[in-house]
């Protein structure tokens, strides 16, 4: 059973197509890195797949009624917005908005699980806006976990975080996938993607340029064509290591 | 001084005749104030008064709308008045000060009449306007008639009734005002004066209600709508009891210190009969 | 340790009840406590009953609801725009509602059809909220919000002055102050019956959408992904805010800063949760307007001091403080 299935998904802004012909399936256990340079259509794809913007083609999520969709997939938008100085546990509890008919006890338990999973118990009464970037990221991931949907879509979840926090986020997502869920995260850091993701999807000017295991996607040819860079990719005793080396004149 | 020179130069061709020599009756009189308008219309000889203010034609404020129709109107602007080449301008002390000061600097004689706050002021005002117009005899006659009528009105027994004057925004008038004096001359006690307001001021609605007047006299309504007048429609005011039917007492007779105030007082006396009848 | 939410609501309710009682008992006519209560509840004493039931009671009821409407709409707008400076007075909603009311009165529409007054005020408020949303976008940044608010307020204020100055009634021009600053003086039960249904409608529309406001804390996309119908939420909030501000402004003029100060004071106490802030701000707004209305009667009993003067004296420093705090975002 697939958690997300899109067929010929496309989005147009006015007469210009910004995304077209995206057909893919995401199954439980996958941690998908969504790659591509700025403007390749990563955010657009995530929003279209979720039905947040109008699109052509099909997306299994977008065709669900909104209430059911909220229980099928959670979403971490770019920017980590927390408008009000709410306590961490209240922010996490917002994830339960997706379950309007759940009992108080069920809600409570889900929030506690999410807090515990992200190691936020000690911070639960702190104001979320006063936390560090990494702590805020953890809080928002906990919020998405509290939603208890099998699929998590995250838009640049590691942007602006220090290395330890970035790794923590990637490990959490890998764990989620290993536990039978699936994660699709748009990423700019190809090194993190190569190391932690089970599968990479490469977008280039709104189209699907490559889709497969990291080794198959991060080929010199793809890197040159899509990113205009050359890089070294090596299997080491520490796993797959990716290091960009320089630009290639277009 | 520069401004004056400039204006004089600009208007040189239109400059009026020199001000009338002392003792001569002015021949081109312009009135810029509702109250001097009415006194001047009563006292001036034909042809002497050449313009009255536009307010003199307003049926709510003016007691002499028909008479005013015979005169060209002015709007109280210095330039407009100056171009009429007046040798005397009559103004009230609330007339636009900038306009009267400018007219004076241009060499026009301006006489200012203070608003009347008592019957004595009315008497004095009649004589003052008569003097300014050079119509002393007519003024003396009118003042004497006014005194006699007033004495007759005051001779009638007091009604013992208590009344309040109530206008837009809850404005009321105490006994040291012209309207207050009209009320007294008609034999009414003034509730507003009892509440401690001797001149004009705001009387809160609830103070008015608690003072329990026998009669509330409201002002006329102006056309158009104003929140200030909504208060006069307040249900509590209507529930207060006897009210004079609107229109029985006309504002226009109450505003200016002219002999018309006696008509206001007489109307009020007549209205008492209705009031007693209604009770 | 924070006060538990039910205790906070109970405390605010008690405060409102106290202010409501004080509003009934304080006035220019010196009436003793027992006389006041006897008149109010049993109709003892003709004149005193008239004062209590027809003058003070409508004033107190309007203070209660106008304050509640302003506090609630302030909290709602802040939640919707995710900006603590969003407030009906500051972003031009009140001024636009006043313009609608003035047009209804001066065209004679309000005289011909009683409901025209609150409806026109509601329409004015609605136009301005829609305009703010169009100008400031879904998340109003402070700079755009304030600039748009200045523009809309200035426009509505100028048009209000124009309409009033063109009126044939000499008193109309002096009314500009009422529409800008607001007052509850000399309001009657007629005004209560006119405005109350609109404010009650606004409250009824606002409370069911509160949970959506909470979700909006994380942004529109996050809220939508959690099952909140953001478009519908926005429409409900706009209609609700317009009904609240329109109803209040139609009878009391534009009273500023209540919707700014009250949510600001109470935000910490409710853990900054927009949904919990709504009822608390409604109660806080009631208490603030009732207190201000008592104060204007005590400070200048014979002057009809405008309510907005007092709320601005309290609110403007708050506003400046908030500007200072959000300066980083502005620059």
């Amino acid at each position: 059973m697939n958690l997300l299935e899109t067929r010929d998904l496309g989005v147009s802004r006015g007469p210009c197509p910004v995304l077209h012909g995206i057909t893919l399936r995401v199954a439980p256990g996958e941690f998908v890195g969504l790659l591509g340079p700025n403007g390749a259509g990563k955010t657009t794809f995530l929003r279209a797949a979720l039905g947040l913007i109008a699109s052509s083609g099909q997306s299994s999520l977008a065709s669900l009624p909104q209430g059911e969709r909220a229980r099928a997939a959670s979403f971490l938008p770019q920017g980590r917005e927390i408008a009000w100085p709410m306590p961490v546990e209240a922010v996490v509890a917002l994830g339960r908005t997706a379950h309007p008919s759940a009992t108080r006890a069920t809600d409570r338990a889900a929030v506690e699980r999410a807090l515990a999973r992200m190691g936020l118990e000690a911070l639960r009464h702190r104001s979320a806006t006063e936390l560090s970037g990494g702590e805020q990221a953890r809080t928002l991931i906990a919020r998405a976990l509290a939603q208890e949907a099998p699929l998590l879509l995250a838009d640049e979840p590691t942007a602006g975080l220090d290395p330890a926090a970035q790794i923590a986020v990637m490990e959490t997502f890998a764990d989620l996938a290993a536990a039978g869920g699936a994660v699709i995260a748009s990423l700019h850091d190809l090194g993190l993607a190569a190391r932690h993701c089970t599968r990479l999807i490469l977008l280039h000017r709104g189209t699907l340029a490559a889709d497969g295991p990291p080794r198959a996607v991060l080929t010199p040819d793809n890197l040159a064509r899509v990113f205009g860079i050359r890089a070294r990719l090596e299997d080491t005793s520490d796993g797959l290591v990716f290091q960009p080396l320089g630009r290639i004149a277009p | 001084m520069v401004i004056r020179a400039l204006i004089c130069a600009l208007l040189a061709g239109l400059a009026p005749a020199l001000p009338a020599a002392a003792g001569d009756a002015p021949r081109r009189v312009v009135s810029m104030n509702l109250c001097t308008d009415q006194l001047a219309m009563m006292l001036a000889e034909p042809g002497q008064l050449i313009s009255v203010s536009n307010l003199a034609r307003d049926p709510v404020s003016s007691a002499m709308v028909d008479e005013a129709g015979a005169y060209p109107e002015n709007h109280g602007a210095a330039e407009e008045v100056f171009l009429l080449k007046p040798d005397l301008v009559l103004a009230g002390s609330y007339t636009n000060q900038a306009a009267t000061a400018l007219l004076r600097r241009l060499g026009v004689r301006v006489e200012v009449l203070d608003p009347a706050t008592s019957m004595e002021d009315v008497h004095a005002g009649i004589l003052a306007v008569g003097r300014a117009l050079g119509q002393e005899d007519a003024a003396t006659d009118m003042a004497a008639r006014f005194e006699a009528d007033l004495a007759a009105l005051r001779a009638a027994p007091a009604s013992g009734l208590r009344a309040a004057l109530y206008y837009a925004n809850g404005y009321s008038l105490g006994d040291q005002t012209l309207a207050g004096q009209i009320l007294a001359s008609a034999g009414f006690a003034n509730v507003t004066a009892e509440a401690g307001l001797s001149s004009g001021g705001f009387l809160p609605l609830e103070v008015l209600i608690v003072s329990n007047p026998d009669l509330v006299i409201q002002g006329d309504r102006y056309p158009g709508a104003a929140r200030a007048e909504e208060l006069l429609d307040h249900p509590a005011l209507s529930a207060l009891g006897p009210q004079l039917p609107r229109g029985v007492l006309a504002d226009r007779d109450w505003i200016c210190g002219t002999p018309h105030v006696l008509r206001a007082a007489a109307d009020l006396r007549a209205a008492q009969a209705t009031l007693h009848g209604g009770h | 340790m924070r006060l538990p939410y039910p205790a906070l609501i109970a405390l605010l309710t008690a405060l409102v009840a106290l202010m409501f009682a004080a509003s009934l008992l304080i006035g220019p006519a010196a009436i003793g406590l027992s006389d006041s209560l006897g008149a109010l509840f049993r109709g003892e004493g003709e004149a005193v009953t008239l004062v209590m039931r027809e003058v003070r009671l409508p004033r107190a009821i309007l203070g209660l609801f106008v304050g509640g409407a302003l506090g609630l709409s302030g909290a709602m707008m802040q939640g919707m725009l995710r900006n603590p400076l969003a407030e009906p007075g500051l972003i031009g909603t009140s001024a636009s509602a006043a313009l609608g009311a003035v047009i209804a009165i001066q065209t004679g529409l309000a005289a011909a059809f009683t409901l025209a007054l609150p409806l026109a005020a509601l329409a004015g408020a609605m136009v301005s909220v829609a305009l703010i949303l169009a100008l400031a976008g879904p998340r109003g940044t402070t700079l755009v919000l304030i600039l748009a608010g200045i523009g809309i307020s200035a426009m509505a204020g100028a048009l209000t002055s124009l309409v009033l100055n063109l009126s044939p009634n000499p008193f109309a021009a002096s009314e500009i102050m009422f529409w800008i600053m607001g007052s509850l003086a000399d309001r009657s039960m007629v005004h209560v019956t006119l405005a109350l249904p609109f404010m009650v409608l606004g409250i009824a529309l606002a409370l069911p959408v509160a949970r959506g406001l909470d979700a909006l804390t994380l942004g529109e996309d996050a809220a939508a992904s959690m099952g909140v119908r953001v478009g519908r939420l926005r429409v409900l909030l706009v209609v609700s805010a317009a009904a609240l501000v329109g109803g209040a402004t139609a009878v009391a003029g534009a009273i500023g800063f209540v919707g700014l100060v009250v949510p600001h004071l109470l935000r910490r106490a409710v853990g900054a949760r927009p949904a919990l802030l709504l009822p608390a701000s409604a109660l806080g707004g009631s208490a603030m307007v009732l207190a201000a209305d008592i104060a204007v009667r005590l400070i200048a009993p014979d002057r009809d001091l405008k309510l907005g003067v007092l709320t601005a004296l309290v609110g403007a420093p708050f506003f400046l403080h908030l500007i200072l705090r959000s300066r980083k975002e502005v620059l």
Side-chain angles (χ1 to χ4, degrees):
Chain A
M1 191 203 76
N2 291 310
L3 296 178
L4 172 67
E5 183 168 353
T6 68
R7 194 170 305 143
D8 203 20
L9 192 66
V11 175
S12 298
R13 200 160 291 145
C16 331
V18 288
L19 192 74
H20 54 98
I22 309 292
T23 301
L24 53 82
R25 294 193 181 91
V26 177
E30 290 192 288
F31 176 12
V32 181
L34 188 61
L35 308 181
N38 291 324
K42 300 187 295 294
T43 300
T44 306
F45 169 73
L46 290 175
R47 298 183 72 208
L50 270 167
L52 297 176
I53 47 175
S55 59
S56 59
Q58 284 176 357
S59 158
S60 59
L61 283 177
S63 56
L64 289 176
Q66 203 179 357
E68 271 180 54
R69 190 194 313 158
R71 293 183 285 279
S74 55
F75 180 46
L76 280 175
Q78 211 172 336
R80 291 195 280 279
E81 177 178 356
I82 304 174
W84 305 110
M86 283 163 55
V88 167
E89 64 177 352
V91 173
V92 173
L94 290 179
R96 300 306 294 169
T97 310
H99 300 267
S101 47
T103 63
R104 253 184 134 78
T106 315
D107 285 347
R108 192 70 248 164
V111 170
E112 287 305 322
R113 273 196 299 278
L115 286 169
R117 171 142 211 176
M118 297 312 295
L120 290 166
E121 291 103 326
L123 298 177
R124 64 166 68 220
H125 296 300
R126 289 271 302 279
S127 171
T129 50
E130 289 161 8
L131 301 177
S132 70
E135 289 165 338
Q136 283 187 355
R138 273 157 63 201
T139 302
L140 290 174
I141 292 171
R143 188 282 295 168
L145 296 184
Q147 200 168 332
E148 299 201 319
L151 177 65
L152 168 64
L153 282 72
D155 197 359
E156 298 198 20
T158 57
L161 299 182
D162 61 34
Q166 290 189 359
I167 291 169
V169 167
M170 295 303 281
E171 285 176 351
T172 305
F173 289 174
D175 288 352
L176 283 176
V183 177
I184 305 174
S186 74
L187 297 164
H188 271 305
D189 189 323
L190 303 182
L192 281 176
R195 190 171 167 74
H196 298 278
C197 295
T198 61
R199 169 183 170 194
L200 298 181
I201 291 174
L202 186 57
L203 291 182
H204 182 45
R205 292 182 187 150
T207 58
L208 194 66
D211 181 355
R215 265 215 162 277
V217 170
L218 297 175
T219 60
D221 181 46
N222 279 340
L223 291 172
R225 187 165 56 93
V226 175
F227 292 100
I229 60 167
R230 58 195 178 82
R232 168 162 292 181
L233 183 69
E234 263 180 35
D235 264 317
T236 69
S237 55
D238 290 320
L240 200 58
V241 171
F242 177 92
Q243 176 62 49
L245 298 173
R247 285 190 298 163
I248 299 171
Chain B
M1 288 318 267
V2 176
I3 294 170
R4 177 182 168 176
L6 199 64
I7 293 174
C8 285
L10 281 172
L11 299 176
L14 304 163
L18 281 175
D24 285 351
R27 288 183 303 276
R28 295 184 62 79
V29 179
V30 173
S31 169
M32 297 169 69
N33 166 274
L34 174 65
C35 297
T36 56
D37 288 341
Q38 298 183 52
L39 286 172
M41 286 191 278
M42 290 178 205
L43 292 168
E45 60 184 17
Q48 189 182 16
L49 182 63
I50 57 166
S51 172
V52 294
S53 77
N54 56 327
L55 271 183
R57 294 186 183 187
D58 171 18
V60 178
S61 328
S62 169
M64 297 176 71
V65 173
D66 293 343
E67 293 88 333
Y71 298 90
E73 62 175 357
N74 68 71
H75 304 81
E79 180 181 322
E80 177 191 26
V81 170
F82 185 75
L83 290 176
L84 293 168
K85 300 183 203 171
D87 54 3
L88 172 66
V89 167
L90 295 173
S93 49
Y94 289 134
T95 305
N96 180 356
Q97 298 282 316
T100 53
L102 182 57
L103 288 167
R104 280 204 175 102
R105 283 197 297 180
L106 292 171
V108 179
R109 181 181 158 211
V110 178
E111 292 288 342
V112 173
L113 189 71
D114 286 329
T117 59
S118 67
M119 294 301 182
E120 290 68 36
D121 286 351
V122 178
H123 187 258
I126 293 169
L127 294 179
V129 171
R131 209 162 34 244
L133 291 170
Q135 307 292 343
E136 284 89 347
D137 293 346
T140 314
D141 286 353
M142 191 194 283
R145 232 175 13 255
F146 174 76
E147 282 302 322
D149 291 348
L150 179 62
L153 197 65
R154 282 178 170 165
S159 66
L161 294 175
R162 297 158 65 251
L165 297 160
Y166 213 53
Y167 303 101
N169 266 333
Y171 196 77
S172 183
L173 293 164
D175 50 352
Q176 308 293 310
T177 63
L178 184 62
Q181 296 266 310
I182 294 171
L183 201 62
S185 305
F188 281 91
N190 190 334
V191 162
T192 307
E194 290 172 17
L197 274 175
S198 59
S199 53
F202 294 99
L203 186 67
L205 179 59
E206 52 182 79
V207 175
L208 174 70
I209 293 168
V210 171
S211 68
N212 205 13
D214 297 301
L215 175 66
V216 176
I217 300 166
Q218 297 189 3
D220 279 343
R221 299 302 175 83
Y222 287 87
R227 183 187 168 269
E229 292 181 340
E230 261 183 44
L231 174 60
L232 303 177
D233 292 325
H234 198 292
L237 197 56
S238 331
L240 197 52
Q243 307 259 335
L244 278 182
R246 197 167 294 145
V248 166
L249 299 173
D251 271 6
R252 53 183 173 269
D253 290 339
W254 294 68
I255 294 172
C256 282
T258 72
H260 293 303
V261 298
L262 298 179
R263 186 165 73 193
D267 285 349
L268 200 48
R269 281 239 183 242
Q272 275 179 38
T274 339
L275 203 59
H276 284 303
H279 247 356
Chain C
M1 191 56 208
R2 223 172 59 214
L3 200 63
Y5 188 66
L8 176 77
I9 292 296
L11 196 72
L12 286 168
T13 307
L15 185 66
V16 170
L18 188 74
M19 289 296 164
F20 189 82
S23 180
L24 282 173
L25 296 176
I26 295 172
I31 305 171
L33 182 65
S34 60
D35 286 351
S36 302
L37 296 179
L40 184 62
F41 293 111
R42 294 187 297 275
E44 292 165 3
E46 197 186 339
V48 179
T49 301
L50 213 50
V51 168
M52 292 307 296
R53 289 186 180 171
E54 298 292 336
V55 179
R56 290 197 192 165
L57 187 60
R59 186 171 187 157
I61 291 176
L62 283 178
L64 182 75
F65 277 89
V66 167
L70 294 176
L72 180 58
S73 60
M76 264 167 44
M77 286 180 173
Q78 292 173 17
M80 177 167 64
L81 290 161
R82 280 159 284 157
N83 190 314
L85 292 174
E87 193 262 343
L90 285 172
I91 64 175
T93 318
S94 299
S96 305
L99 174 62
V102 165
I103 290 175
I105 292 174
Q106 294 301 333
T107 54
L109 216 61
F113 164 57
T114 344
L115 277 181
L117 176 69
L119 281 175
L122 183 144
M126 191 101 83
V127 168
S128 80
V129 179
L131 209 55
I132 278 283
L133 281 176
L135 288 170
R139 164 138 210 206
T141 66
T142 301
L143 187 62
V144 177
L145 203 59
I146 291 173
L147 291 179
I150 290 173
I152 292 174
S153 297
M155 185 74 177
L159 289 175
T160 302
S161 300
L162 176 69
V163 172
L164 290 173
N165 276 314
L166 291 178
S167 165
N169 191 304
F171 293 110
S174 66
E175 234 157 74
I176 294 169
M177 190 57 85
F178 163 77
W179 291 109
I180 293 176
M181 283 301 186
S183 167
L184 289 174
D186 304 321
R187 306 280 79 185
S188 66
M189 281 299 177
V190 176
H191 299 106
V192 174
T193 54
L194 212 56
L196 219 55
F198 286 84
M199 294 191 275
V200 170
L201 170 78
I203 296 170
L205 287 177
L207 296 182
V209 299
R211 197 158 180 197
L213 271 186
D214 269 356
L216 217 50
T217 301
L218 303 180
E220 316 252 316
D221 277 356
S225 74
M226 290 189 277
V228 174
R229 286 147 79 183
V230 176
R232 177 174 157 273
L233 173 72
R234 191 185 294 263
V235 169
L236 277 174
L237 287 173
V238 168
V239 174
S240 164
L244 290 167
V245 177
T249 307
V251 295
I255 303 167
F257 293 104
V258 177
L260 180 84
V261 173
V262 172
H264 179 72
L265 286 178
L266 294 172
R267 181 161 287 123
R268 288 272 163 190
V270 299
R273 294 184 55 183
L276 298 185
L277 190 56
L278 295 189
S281 286
L283 289 169
S286 288
M288 179 171 173
V289 167
L290 284 168
D293 190 44
I294 292 166
V296 297
R297 280 179 272 177
L298 292 176
I299 294 171
D302 50 355
R303 285 293 155 86
D304 187 20
L305 181 60
K306 298 288 179 270
L307 264 180
V309 173
L310 278 186
T311 55
L313 282 178
V314 176
F318 265 100
F319 177 57
L320 297 177
H321 164 71
L322 285 172
I323 293 256
L324 198 65
R325 243 181 34 176
S326 65
R327 198 167 52 174
K328 259 196 216 129
E329 188 197 336
V330 175
L331 292 178

